[in-house]
């Protein structure tokens, strides 16, 4: 029995270490060493960009083989527990519990996936871990199975926890209805609400509790509406002196304190004057545009998530900002129409903050072909990925075959921001001018 206990303890220690190494691979390094690792990573990216531009016939080599000067990595004001959004999965744990709430280790291809509690992961705040533990307790009490593979049945799935510096906490439970009728679904929602309001889960003191019926890996609000079971429909965050409303699926930078530092730098590099128009592409809830609205004559925001645009408009009104307009829709559909007939004589500065998928080619083409845009700030969470394609499209020579007729941009400055301590990732702010 002692040998079994020792073996079990060793296995758990190995799994916990594997999770920490997978989610926060730099967690063992002192923070200054983490920043140096990230600086070297960003330097290689800029070297790659310089080489790729050279292949296009553009003389982009600067000292060190970089395409532009690279500043040191700006550190995060908060190093541990900085995440304001965490996504927890439900699957079999190291002890065999099929209702373990945590993060995955392993791969489907090797069939060695195990779900490990995230209590020791340093970038997740204790409040999120508390909600995850309570959710696990609830589904373990439930007679309904967890939904590990859709075709094998089961119901209880993902948990998303969002929190703010104002002390607000939102929990979103994803549930696969399978063949359950409306009455049975109503019963499960009532039990979930009771657990988090009157039962053991009340200790979480949730501001909002949402429930989403989802038959897919991910569903938007339009595909399957978020159902508010308890509390307020939104949580609120304060950033750079403004108050922002956040919906369940609205994008908000995962490190709020880090976002403040990033947005201040964006504001400085915009070199905006009183008559500048700021074009905020992939604007989310409007954080960048609204935080800079006092520096410019007008802000125009574009965002695909409809609920995020509703939040952006509310945020503008609540903060007394009247020089902003927001457009809901895919940037590749909205932006070309917006810029094709642009005749405003005021200076136009563009800020883009896309997802890891980068910008659609039609968005890049619209920016290139709009002569009024002389200054562009590109914020990328994965510059070595699809964003690299965008950088090349922005800087390549004109190509009439691709309807890319506008004057090319050139990278002039790069600043990395450590928005994700303990991980290998950081946010790169690249300034392009022409």
């Amino acid at each position: 029995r002692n040998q079994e206990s020792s073996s079990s303890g060793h296995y758990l220690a190995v799994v916990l270490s594997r999770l920490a190494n997978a989610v926060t691979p730099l967690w063992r390094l002192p923070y200054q060493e983490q920043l140096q690792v990230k600086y070297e990573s960003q330097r290689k990216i800029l070297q790659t960009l310089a080489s790729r531009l050279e292949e296009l016939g553009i003389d982009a080599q600067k000292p060190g083989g970089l395409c532009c000067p690279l500043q040191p990595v700006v550190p995060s004001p908060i190093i541990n527990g900085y995440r304001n959004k965490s996504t927890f999965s439900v699957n079999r744990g190291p002890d065999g519990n099929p209702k373990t709430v945590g993060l995955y280790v392993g791969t489907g291809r090797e069939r060695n996936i195990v779900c490990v509690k995230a209590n020791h992961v340093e970038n997740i705040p204790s409040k999120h871990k508390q909600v995850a533990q309570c959710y696990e307790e609830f589904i373990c009490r439930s007679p309904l199975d967890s939904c590990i593979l859709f075709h094998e049945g089961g119901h209880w799935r993902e948990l998303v926890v969002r929190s703010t510096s104002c002390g607000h906490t939102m929990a979103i439970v994803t549930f696969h209805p399978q063949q359950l009728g409306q009455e049975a679904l109503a019963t499960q929602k009532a039990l979930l609400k009771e657990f988090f309001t009157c039962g053991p889960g009340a200790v979480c003191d949730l501001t909002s509790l949402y429930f989403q019926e989802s038959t897919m890996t991910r569903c938007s609000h339009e595909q399957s509406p978020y159902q508010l079971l308890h509390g307020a429909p939104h949580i609120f965050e304060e950033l750079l002196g403004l108050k922002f409303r956040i919906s369940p699926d609205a994008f908000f930078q995962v490190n709020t304190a880090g976002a403040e530092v990033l947005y201040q730098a964006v504001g400085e590099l915009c070199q905006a004057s009183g008559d500048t128009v700021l074009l905020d592409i992939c604007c989310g809830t409007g954080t960048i545009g609204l935080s800079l609205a006092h520096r410019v004559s007008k802000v125009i925001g574009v965002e695909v998530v409809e609920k995020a645009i509703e939040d952006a408009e509310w945020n503008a009104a609540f903060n007394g900002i009247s020089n902003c307009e927001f457009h809901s829709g895919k940037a590749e559909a909205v932006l070309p129409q917006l810029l094709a007939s642009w005749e405003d004589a005021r200076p136009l500065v563009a800020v883009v903050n896309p997802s890891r998928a980068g910008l659609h080619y039609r968005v890049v083409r619209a920016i290139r072909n709009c002569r009024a845009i002389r200054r562009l700030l590109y914020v990328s969470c994965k510059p070595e990925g699809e964003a690299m394609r965008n950088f090349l499209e922005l800087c390549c020579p004109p190509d009439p075959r691709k309807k890319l007729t506008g004057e090319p941009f050139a990278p002039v400055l790069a600043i990395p921001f450590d928005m994700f301590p303990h991980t290998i990732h950081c946010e790169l702010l690249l300034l392009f001018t022409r």
Side-chain angles (χ1 to χ4, degrees):
R1 191 176 299 147
N2 287 339
Q3 286 178 334
E4 289 178 1
S5 176
S6 175
S7 176
S8 175
H10 175 71
Y11 172 64
L12 181 58
V14 169
V15 170
L16 291 175
S17 181
R18 282 182 64 196
L19 178 63
N21 291 339
V23 178
T24 51
L26 303 183
W27 69 280
R28 297 179 190 272
L29 293 180
Y31 189 53
Q32 287 304 313
E33 290 186 29
Q34 293 187 29
L35 296 178
Q36 187 58 35
V37 168
K38 297 189 180 192
Y39 177 83
E40 292 302 323
S41 172
Q42 300 304 304
R43 190 171 65 85
K44 290 178 182 177
I45 290 170
L46 296 187
Q47 287 176 333
T48 300
L49 178 55
S51 297
R52 299 285 297 276
L53 290 173
E54 290 282 338
E55 293 171 4
L56 296 174
I58 301 168
D59 182 15
Q61 293 283 356
K62 300 293 186 297
L66 307 182
C67 63
C68 64
L70 174 64
Q71 292 192 0
V73 180
V74 179
S76 172
I78 300 173
I79 299 172
N80 294 323
Y82 57 84
R83 291 191 65 92
N84 56 39
K85 181 182 179 182
S86 300
T87 301
F88 300 97
S89 300
V90 180
N91 210 312
R92 192 172 306 279
D95 59 356
N97 174 18
K99 293 182 175 180
T100 300
V101 176
L103 307 176
Y104 283 157
V105 171
T107 63
R109 179 181 301 176
E110 297 182 12
R111 298 184 178 181
N112 63 349
I113 287 179
V114 63
C115 194
V116 185
K117 293 182 182 181
N119 296 339
H120 63 301
V121 178
E122 295 190 359
N123 62 350
I124 299 177
S126 56
K127 169 62 83 171
H128 294 197
K129 298 171 183 176
Q130 179 187 48
V131 178
Q133 181 59 46
C134 286
Y135 179 54
E136 179 175 312
E137 182 179 344
F138 171 77
I139 64 175
C140 283
R141 294 182 178 194
S142 172
L144 300 182
D145 293 333
S146 55
C147 179
I148 295 175
L149 295 173
F150 290 174
H151 64 276
E152 292 183 359
H155 301 278
W156 299 111
R157 292 189 51 233
E158 201 172 76
L159 168 73
V160 174
V161 185
R162 306 188 73 155
S163 59
T164 70
S165 60
C166 303
H168 298 166
T169 306
M170 175 187 289
I172 307 157
V173 169
T174 307
F175 183 91
H176 196 310
Q178 303 290 359
Q179 306 303 318
L180 291 183
Q182 289 303 309
E183 187 175 339
L185 282 169
T187 298
Q188 295 308 313
K189 288 185 277 189
L191 290 171
L192 184 65
K193 176 182 176 180
E194 181 182 15
F195 180 87
F196 276 103
T197 55
C198 308
V203 68
C204 298
D205 191 25
L206 294 180
T207 310
S208 312
L209 174 60
Y210 275 97
F211 183 88
Q212 187 187 38
E213 300 166 31
S214 178
T215 59
M216 300 184 290
T217 304
R218 288 281 187 280
C219 273
S220 66
H221 175 76
E222 288 73 28
Q223 292 168 320
S224 181
Y226 291 95
Q227 304 169 45
L228 181 63
L229 302 186
H230 164 73
H234 308 94
I235 55 176
F236 295 87
E237 183 58 282
E238 292 181 359
L239 189 147
L240 294 176
L242 302 176
K243 192 169 184 177
F244 292 92
R245 186 179 88 171
I246 302 172
S247 294
D249 60 344
F251 171 78
F252 202 90
Q253 283 285 0
V254 78
N255 181 340
T256 304
E260 289 193 311
V261 179
L262 171 62
Y263 296 166
Q264 285 173 329
V266 170
E268 292 167 8
L269 290 178
C270 277
Q271 293 186 353
S273 58
D275 62 343
T276 300
V277 176
L278 178 68
L279 184 59
D280 187 3
I281 304 168
C282 310
C283 67
T285 55
T287 46
I288 293 179
L290 292 172
S291 65
L292 302 180
H294 67 286
R295 299 189 182 201
V296 299
S297 62
K298 186 178 183 179
V299 173
I300 302 173
V302 179
E303 168 61 42
V304 66
V305 179
E306 195 172 323
K307 283 291 180 181
I309 287 294
E310 290 179 14
D311 287 342
E313 291 172 340
W314 186 94
N315 293 333
F318 182 84
N319 289 287
I321 299 172
S322 58
N323 63 336
C324 297
E325 67 178 52
F326 296 98
H327 300 263
S328 174
K330 292 182 178 180
E332 60 266 28
V334 174
L335 200 65
Q337 293 181 344
L338 199 65
L339 296 180
S341 57
W342 188 267
E343 295 180 353
D344 198 313
R346 292 175 291 182
L348 181 60
V349 175
V351 177
V352 299
N353 186 16
S355 66
R356 291 185 177 188
L359 296 173
H360 192 284
Y361 177 71
R362 289 204 294 267
V363 176
V364 175
R365 188 172 64 192
I367 293 171
R368 274 282 300 259
N369 295 346
C370 180
R371 295 181 180 180
I373 301 176
R374 314 302 299 172
R375 202 170 188 85
L376 168 69
L377 288 107
Y378 195 121
V379 182
S380 174
C381 59
K382 194 176 181 182
E384 72 278 17
E386 289 301 308
M388 181 66 71
R389 169 180 54 82
N390 291 160
F391 302 157
L392 297 172
E393 291 166 345
L394 287 165
C395 300
C396 70
D399 188 344
R401 294 173 303 168
K402 297 181 179 180
K403 299 181 180 179
L404 202 64
T405 57
E407 179 188 352
F409 285 88
V412 295
L413 182 65
I415 311 176
F417 290 81
D418 186 20
M419 304 284 282
F420 319 99
H422 307 304
T423 77
I424 59 173
H425 307 292
C426 64
E427 206 89 9
L428 182 65
L429 173 59
L430 256 176
L431 170 63
F432 294 88
T433 63
R434 60 178 176 177

